[in-house]
Amino acid sequence: MAIDNKKPACTRDELQQARFLIRHVDYKKQPVSVIIFAFEELVYAYINHCMHMHRPLNCEQDAIFDETGKFLRCSMHGFIFDPKTGECQSPVCFGQRLQALRLEEVDGTIYFAEKHLTLSD
Ligand code: FES
């Protein structure tokens, strides 16, 4: 797929060497951090913002997954999220979702495919 305005996020090689990556971007004119990770071979990106008390998922630990590796986990209070949808699975915020960002992969490079996103790094 052709990408008119390339906004590189990372490469597959970078993702294979780290469990997750953090990128700082402007999204809808707001500076945000983004978590990027591979899960079951697909790559996902979410704004790194837990809706519970507005903290980054990795605020207390350098990790975004729970011990099973099957769920994203906010290290502040331990709420878990479906990595494929960003949907919270914990009772207080059940059903609310992390803000997903669209990605496209071309020849081993992952690009942000969001119109209202600009790179800030
Ligand atoms: S701030 Fe994320 S679980 Fe409370």
Side-chain angles (χ1 to χ4, degrees):
M1 173 179 274
I3 297 177
D4 298 335
N5 185 12
K6 290 188 176 186
K7 303 168 193 172
C10 63
T11 66
R12 271 278 180 181
D13 286 346
E14 289 174 306
L15 276 179
Q16 284 172 350
Q17 292 168 26
R19 281 202 47 95
F20 69 99
L21 297 169
I22 300 278
R23 292 291 183 260
H24 299 281
V25 302
D26 290 321
Y27 181 65
K28 297 184 177 176
K29 301 184 178 177
Q30 297 294 321
V32 297
S33 77
V34 177
I35 51 173
I36 305 169
F37 57 89
F39 184 77
E40 297 179 353
E41 304 301 319
L42 295 179
V43 182
Y44 298 87
Y46 295 99
I47 292 180
N48 190 12
H49 180 100
C50 177
M51 73 288 289
H52 177 225
M53 288 194 175
H54 311 291
R55 302 291 301 271
L57 273 64
N58 60 327
C59 62
E60 293 290 316
Q61 297 174 345
D62 185 25
I64 61 166
F65 277 92
D66 72 354
E67 61 281 0
T68 70
K70 294 180 180 173
F71 293 96
L72 297 173
R73 178 182 179 277
C74 178
S75 58
M76 189 70 206
H77 304 106
F79 286 17
I80 59 173
F81 304 85
D82 181 332
K84 294 180 179 176
T85 64
E87 186 173 273
C88 187
Q89 306 297 301
S90 297
V92 173
C93 299
F94 186 82
Q96 295 183 54
R97 290 178 186 233
L98 302 171
Q99 173 68 57
L101 297 176
R102 285 173 294 159
L103 300 170
E104 292 175 3
E105 182 169 356
V106 180
D107 297 332
T109 299
I110 316 288
Y111 297 91
F112 291 112
E114 291 285 346
K115 184 177 179 182
H116 299 289
L117 183 148
T118 56
L119 300 177
S120 59
D121 280 341

